[in-house]
């Protein structure tokens, strides 16, 4: 075993290698935590703010389920514009999106807690590999829970929309690639 009883590595080379891997793990977990939070937190920035600034509709996904209810309702309206959605459909989709946002907000708080524990773990004088693995498993479970909740909301929304509306929305998302502009595959005009 590469670790002595007191928790210190027996060789300097192993200690340096372990330190590098610990830093890589910290960076990866931080990027995941910050990326997910930034993408989902509409008011703070991320994808939702990017789309709002371009005047484009936010597709169904994390960006739709972040922020205060009023902002979510505006995003739903922009997303449903051009789909001939009825008032009843709009109300149902708004209700689903707001409920999902409330659940996801609680999950983001849990994710921030895990991130803080991650920081504490990797800034300790000696990094406990077992604790790091446990935390990684908890972060994966939390991400899975968030992903499941988003899928549930998206499935509920898909039941409210007609197949034609979903096809139109999918075509819009494909042609705009979620960033309000033409597809990256679209031919570019000659200079």
């Amino acid at each position: 075993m590469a670790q002595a009883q007191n928790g210190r590595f027996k060789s300097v080379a192993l200690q340096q290698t372990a330190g590098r891997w610990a830093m890589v793990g910290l960076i990866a977990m931080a990027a995941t935590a910050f990326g997910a939070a930034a993408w989902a937190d509409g008011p703070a920035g991320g994808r939702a703010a990017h789309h709002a600034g371009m005047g484009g509709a936010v597709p169904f996904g994390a960006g739709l389920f972040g922020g205060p209810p009023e902002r979510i309702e505006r995003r739903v309206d922009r997303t449903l514009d051009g789909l001939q959605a009825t008032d009843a459909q709009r109300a149902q989709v708004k209700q689903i999106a707001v409920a999902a946002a409330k659940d996801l907000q609680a999950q983001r708080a849990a994710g921030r807690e895990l991130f803080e524990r991650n920081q504490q773990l990797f800034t300790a004088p000696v990094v406990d590999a077992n604790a790091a693995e446990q935390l990684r498993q908890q972060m994966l479970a939390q991400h899975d829970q968030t992903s499941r909740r988003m899928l549930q909301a998206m499935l509920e929304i898909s039941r409210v929309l007609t197949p034609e509306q979903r096809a139109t929305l999918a075509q819009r998302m494909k042609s705009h690639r979620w960033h309000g502009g033409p597809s990256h595959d679209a031919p570019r005009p000659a200079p």
Side-chain angles (χ1 to χ4, degrees), residues 165-189:
Q165 289 169 324
R166 292 194 316 269
T168 302
L169 183 59
Q171 184 58 42
R172 185 189 310 162
M173 289 166 47
K174 180 180 178 185
S175 67
H176 290 264
R177 290 289 172 111
W178 298 14
H179 56 68
S183 165
H184 295 288
D185 300 332
R188 296 177 189 246

Side-chain angles (χ1 to χ4, degrees), residues 129-166:
N130 291 329
E133 175 59 22
Q134 267 185 330
L135 185 59
R136 186 186 73 82
Q137 293 290 333
Q138 290 172 345
M139 291 174 106
L140 285 172
Q142 195 273 334
H143 176 74
D144 187 54
Q145 184 179 6
T146 298
S147 175
R148 264 187 269 134
R149 182 59 182 103
M150 285 178 49
L151 176 62
Q152 177 189 357
M154 291 168 62
L155 289 171
E156 290 173 14
I157 290 169
S158 74
R159 289 184 204 109
V160 172
L161 301 177
T162 67
E164 294 80 18
Q165 289 169 324
R166 292 194 316 269

Side-chain angles (χ1 to χ4, degrees), residues 87-144:
D87 290 341
Q89 285 177 310
R90 286 177 185 272
Q92 285 179 288
V93 172
K94 287 175 185 178
Q95 183 180 13
I96 292 165
V98 168
K102 184 177 177 184
D103 293 343
L104 291 169
Q105 182 178 15
Q107 291 180 13
R108 280 193 297 273
R112 280 190 294 274
E113 229 176 82
L114 290 173
F115 178 75
E116 289 170 9
R117 285 182 33 212
N118 184 57
Q119 284 183 314
Q120 293 169 353
L121 180 70
F122 282 99
T123 56
V126 176
V127 177
D128 181 349
N130 291 329
E133 175 59 22
Q134 267 185 330
L135 185 59
R136 186 186 73 82
Q137 293 290 333
Q138 290 172 345
M139 291 174 106
L140 285 172
Q142 195 273 334
H143 176 74
D144 187 54

